[in-house]
Amino acid sequence: MHPAIKIVSLVILTIFSTQGSWLTLFISTLFLLPFYLHLPDLWLTVIKMLLRLKWFFLSIFILYYYYTPQINSLEAQSLFIVNNFVPGLFRISVLVTILFAVNLFIKTSSKEEILAALVWLFSPLKFFHIDSERISLRAVLSLQYIEDLSLRLSLYKKNHIIKTSLNSENSFINTVKQKKQSLLHLIEHSGIILNDILMEAENTSGKRLTIEPLAAPLIKQILFPIVLSLSLYLTL
């Protein structure tokens, strides 16, 4: 599929998923499922991403559960608990659907393809004297440095776990203190790493990315985002 069509389809699916209903998520899943069935390797990466976000999903679930308006009617007390679960579950489902779409886009597109697609999509900005290539390059480099940030944090976390396990004691209180200290170290180190990466992004020179001019997408590929947007619009 044309890289520009991938980006447009991802944007459409993300917008409608956040504004739609359960039916919207179901239709979005139907569009994504054939790609995941055709490329089984995508499942491994998306499952890893979901496991990393498990505590984030749990926090959303708890917040929506406790901040959903309560029902005062005695007849509705039995439905109160069930109704409080639904909003959080829906928001988590929206994020999971978007996560599947983003994973599909990233794993099936190279940095060069993403850069070329962004340049092609932003090319009308040249009429307003806006450097579309610079904007596109910054977007691609941001993806690269986000990956770098994730790798550095995981490496630091592994090294810190090894150090704490060597100095650990069996006391429960010491274990809780060590976990608290590890979390504080990780948060502090995350800020340091992020600052270093931002400095590298601004000061690093000499990186070369080739931009190959993209041809216009085929008509049958142009129909895909149109059909996608119409299908999702009808669910609103």
Side-chain angles (χ1 to χ4, degrees):
M1 185 179 290
H2 196 280
I5 297 297
K6 292 181 184 179
I7 295 177
V8 173
S9 300
L10 175 62
V11 172
I12 291 173
L13 189 142
T14 301
I15 292 175
F16 278 100
S17 295
T18 56
Q19 303 298 323
S21 59
W22 286 105
L23 181 58
T24 308
L25 298 182
F26 177 72
I27 299 299
S28 300
T29 304
L30 292 182
F31 276 94
L32 292 172
L33 188 58
F35 296 100
Y36 275 84
L37 293 178
H38 182 67
L39 301 170
D41 294 339
L42 294 174
W43 290 98
L44 181 61
T45 55
V46 76
I47 289 174
K48 288 182 178 179
M49 295 171 69
L50 291 174
L51 291 176
R52 290 178 181 177
L53 294 172
K54 59 182 181 294
W55 299 115
F56 176 66
F57 292 149
L58 180 61
S59 64
I60 293 176
F61 193 78
I62 293 174
L63 286 173
Y64 270 89
Y65 177 79
Y66 281 102
Y67 285 95
T68 298
Q70 297 186 6
I71 301 175
N72 296 323
S73 174
L74 295 176
E75 298 178 357
Q77 289 296 325
S78 59
L79 297 176
F80 170 63
I81 296 178
V82 177
N83 290 336
N84 275 25
F85 279 110
V86 174
L89 185 60
F90 176 74
R91 288 303 165 190
I92 292 172
S93 301
V94 170
L95 293 176
V96 170
T97 303
I98 295 174
L99 193 62
F100 270 80
V102 171
N103 180 67
L104 174 63
F105 171 70
I106 292 177
K107 293 301 178 181
T108 57
S109 307
S110 64
K111 290 184 177 64
E112 289 75 14
E113 288 178 339
I114 297 175
L115 179 58
L118 290 174
V119 171
W120 189 83
L121 289 172
F122 292 150
S123 57
L125 296 177
K126 293 181 178 179
F127 294 104
F128 302 97
H129 304 287
I130 299 176
D131 191 351
S132 60
E133 293 184 359
R134 185 179 181 85
I135 297 175
S136 305
L137 184 59
R138 280 187 173 272
V140 173
L141 289 178
S142 299
L143 290 175
Q144 178 179 342
Y145 285 109
I146 288 173
E147 294 176 359
D148 193 10
L149 174 62
S150 178
L151 290 175
R152 293 192 189 187
L153 286 177
S154 61
L155 180 61
Y156 171 80
K157 188 176 180 180
K158 289 179 181 178
N159 292 336
H160 192 72
I161 289 175
I162 293 174
K163 291 179 181 179
T164 53
S165 62
L166 292 176
N167 300 324
S168 63
E169 299 180 8
N170 295 327
S171 173
F172 174 75
I173 297 177
N174 289 333
T175 303
V176 173
K177 288 182 178 179
Q178 287 171 1
K179 288 186 177 180
K180 180 181 178 180
Q181 187 178 8
S182 299
L183 179 60
L184 292 175
H185 275 293
L186 183 61
I187 294 174
E188 180 181 0
H189 196 71
S190 300
I192 296 173
I193 291 177
L194 180 59
N195 183 63
D196 292 342
I197 288 176
L198 291 176
M199 292 296 294
E200 291 179 9
E202 292 295 331
N203 299 326
T204 301
S205 60
K207 290 190 176 182
R208 185 182 299 274
L209 289 174
T210 58
I211 305 176
E212 296 183 1
L214 287 179
L218 300 176
I219 295 179
K220 61 180 181 180
Q221 292 187 359
I222 296 177
L223 291 176
F224 181 80
I226 296 175
V227 173
L228 175 64
S229 58
L230 288 177
S231 301
L232 297 178
Y233 177 76
L234 294 175
T235 64
L236 298 178

